[in-house]
Amino acid sequence: MTRTVVSSPLVPSSGKPYSPAIRHDHTLYVSGQVALEAGELAVEGGIEPQTRRVLDNLRALLEAGGSSMRSVLKTTCFLVDIGDAPRFNEIYRDYFPTDPPARSTIAVAALSPGYLVEVEAIAAVERP
């Protein structure tokens, strides 16, 4: 059994007590990603720029862990406003254009202040 913490210089650290991702043998578990900018600030401008940042952060951690967007098996998506789902889906579709992963989308009462969306993922590892 191998367990490795995965991070990426492209993803700002939250400074909170969790790993950005954990690689265990041939599976990568990516913690919930928010639209974090340097200094723990949320990306401004609404659901569209936040969704892009979240999925860019996800992609960076997947690549750092030896995986990719095409190897994502499951995502769990959290939206503060379920009314944002159509706009979220448009952008999500750009990142997963064919054969998207299994997915749950959950409306939540709140995320950390300023954040509108969070996405976590489980992916197969493609390379060592």
Side-chain angles (χ1 to χ4, degrees), residues 6 19-24 27-31 62 120-123 125:
V6 175
S19 298
I22 295 289
R23 180 176 168 162
H24 180 266
T27 307
L28 186 64
Y29 301 87
V30 182
S31 294
L62 290 165
E120 63 183 30
I122 299 170
V125 173

Side-chain angles (χ1 to χ4, degrees), residues 18-94:
Y18 64 85
S19 298
I22 295 289
R23 180 176 168 162
H24 180 266
D25 294 331
H26 301 289
T27 307
L28 186 64
Y29 301 87
V30 182
S31 294
Q33 296 300 300
V34 292
L36 182 65
E37 289 193 314
E40 295 189 44
L41 299 174
V43 170
E44 294 185 2
I47 191 68
E48 292 94 347
Q50 284 205 13
T51 300
R52 284 186 192 90
R53 173 56 71 88
V54 165
L55 295 173
D56 286 343
N57 288 352
L58 178 64
R59 180 176 21 220
L61 288 167
L62 290 165
E63 290 173 357
S67 190
S68 70
M69 297 298 268
R70 72 179 168 274
S71 291
V72 173
L73 305 170
K74 169 80 167 74
T75 61
T76 304
C77 308
F78 305 91
L79 298 174
V80 170
D81 181 353
I82 201 66
D84 286 335
R87 291 180 292 164
F88 171 81
N89 283 332
E90 286 177 29
I91 295 162
Y92 186 92
R93 192 173 285 117
D94 290 340

